[in-house]
Amino acid sequence: MLATEDTSTLLTSALTKCLQAQLLSSGEVASLLASSWASSAAMPAPAALTVQHCTLRLLRAKSSRLEKDHADAVALGSAGGLHVAIQAITAGVDQNDEHMLALAALGASTVANMVASAGANKLTALNFGAVRALVACVEKPLTSGTSNVELCAQACRALGNMSYGWDVDEIKDAIGTRGAAAIVASMKSSSGSASLFRWQAHALRNLAVRSPSMQAAIGEAGGAFALARSLRTFPLAAKAQEAGLKAWAYAAKDHEPNRATAAAEGALDLANAALHAYGCGAGERCAASDASGGAAGMAVDLDVTEAALALICLVVGSGGASASRARTAARCGVHFAALAAMEGAMRRHEGLHDDCPRGEAQVSKKTAGSDDAEHGG
């Protein structure tokens, strides 16, 4: 093959047309794209980068379509898809070139897709060094307006997805204290992206679920301060609020030191503010309290409401200093906000507000109180 710009253009065009025809199995797609990636090694830098970006974009698109199809996702990952994506992350993480950082972000996003619900892909990714590469992405200094912000977001999303589920102890051990501390540190150092905060919180939440060691690592790294700061920074971003509140709830669950720190950092005030902002009576809109930044006009969101209620319950807890925390919650009016939010949710569920325009409020389809992690699509 002639290593020229024209050749790389022809190759990327042929790959795109071939995959658009959808005549190949997931394993065949992965093998084809892995061959394309390998062929770029013989090309000069500009042409190689063109082929690599095209390969990763096609692989990410395919992995996104298969995110909830376990068998096809495993076939895509095991036939070379995961290896290509992790190579892209490894190639870009140690560089500050925008093109290489963007390539690494594509790789991290692809890994996140392929491990979302496919347990076999999680172990394959672990064996290929995905955790080490993803943690290194999170540890890179964040510079606003550059691709390393997106790289950090997708790396956190991938780490969160790898930590989702029941049989993930080996993965959490690999992420370890270093990984948890890196995520918290990146949260402390960034304040300009609600999307980044959402995926940072997503990773912390899934790490904390059923893992006292991860809860301790998050607490010791200053997770309470980082979560409080970010929740106050993004009061208008519902997905970020939901993720942050849930991450804090599961970091505090049955962990007395983290409960005490959460209460001291204002978790109950922030949960109360979220209830006022997103959990008003069915069909209504209301202004958030000053604790959430004074934002107004946000639609009812039952996912945020559920997360806020979970945070209140798990921070107050039982035994020990729970009575004192319960009094603190009562003083800031949490019980009134919680009752109003639950009443509004019940009325909406029962369809008693016929005058509420269809689709005006977001209605949660999740099971309230679910004690499990969640993957991020």
Side-chain angles (χ1 to χ4, degrees):
M1 181 189 299
L2 295 175
T4 66
E5 289 290 338
D6 288 342
T7 301
S8 67
T9 301
L10 287 171
L11 176 58
T12 57
S13 176
L15 282 171
T16 302
K17 291 177 180 178
C18 183
L19 297 189
Q20 284 176 342
Q22 298 184 359
L23 300 176
L24 303 178
S25 69
S26 296
E28 289 169 336
V29 168
S31 296
L32 178 62
L33 293 176
S35 298
S36 169
W37 179 272
S39 72
S40 67
M43 299 179 181
L49 198 58
T50 298
V51 171
Q52 288 170 353
H53 271 274
C54 176
T55 299
L56 258 296
R57 285 195 299 270
L58 292 170
L59 185 59
R60 183 180 65 173
K62 182 68 173 179
S63 66
S64 179
R65 290 194 295 272
L66 300 179
E67 189 173 348
K68 296 181 180 179
D69 188 327
H70 180 273
D72 273 355
V74 170
L76 188 71
S78 61
L82 276 169
H83 192 221
V84 168
I86 294 166
Q87 280 186 315
I89 299 170
T90 304
V93 69
D94 293 329
Q95 302 189 37
N96 292 317
D97 177 79
E98 278 292 299
H99 296 295
M100 295 303 294
L101 289 172
L103 191 70
L106 279 172
S109 177
T110 303
V111 170
N113 291 344
M114 284 195 278
V115 303
S117 57
N121 278 351
K122 295 178 183 183
L123 293 178
T124 301
L126 179 64
N127 292 333
F128 280 150
V131 167
R132 181 171 59 254
L134 291 167
V135 170
C137 293
V138 178
E139 289 176 330
K140 286 184 71 67
L142 292 172
T143 305
S144 179
T146 62
S147 294
N148 62 354
V149 174
E150 177 65 10
L151 174 58
C152 183
Q154 294 303 325
C156 287
R157 176 171 162 252
L159 289 169
N161 286 0
M162 289 186 72
S163 304
Y164 165 73
W166 291 86
D167 301 320
V168 291
D169 290 346
E170 186 177 357
I171 291 167
K172 291 186 180 183
D173 288 344
I175 295 172
T177 302
R178 173 184 169 182
I183 296 166
V184 171
S186 72
M187 190 181 290
K188 288 179 180 177
S189 67
S190 62
S191 60
S193 169
S195 177
L196 174 57
F197 170 52
R198 175 192 178 185
W199 296 123
Q200 290 164 331
H202 165 74
L204 292 182
R205 181 252 175 101
N206 285 353
L207 284 173
V209 170
R210 295 184 298 275
S211 179
S213 63
M214 286 291 98
Q215 287 177 296
I218 292 167
E220 291 165 6
F225 170 81
L227 286 162
R229 174 178 173 271
S230 296
L231 284 166
R232 290 188 177 99
T233 301
F234 304 110
L236 293 172
K239 291 294 185 183
Q241 286 285 309
E242 178 193 355
L245 293 166
K246 285 187 175 178
W248 211 350
Y250 285 99
K253 183 181 180 184
D254 299 328
H255 194 283
E256 187 58 32
N258 284 1
R259 282 175 173 167
T261 306
E265 289 288 352
L268 296 173
D269 286 328
L270 285 163
N272 187 37
L275 289 176
H276 279 287
Y278 294 97
C280 301
E284 297 177 2
R285 297 176 183 273
C286 61
S289 71
D290 290 341
S292 71
M298 289 170 284
V300 174
D301 190 307
L302 299 189
D303 290 338
V304 179
T305 301
E306 177 192 333
L309 291 172
L311 179 58
I312 293 165
C313 293
L314 296 178
V315 167
V316 171
S318 61
S322 61
S324 174
R325 291 192 291 268
R327 287 192 293 271
T328 299
R331 280 196 296 271
C332 67
V334 162
H335 53 309
F336 293 119
L339 287 171
M342 289 191 292
E343 180 184 8
M346 291 174 64
R347 291 167 69 87
R348 180 175 298 280
H349 179 70
E350 293 168 1
L352 298 181
H353 279 240
D354 296 332
D355 58 340
C356 179
R358 181 178 295 275
E360 177 177 312
Q362 300 179 32
V363 180
S364 173
K365 295 182 180 179
K366 300 176 184 176
T367 302
S370 171
D371 180 14
D372 197 3
E374 64 182 4
H375 71 76

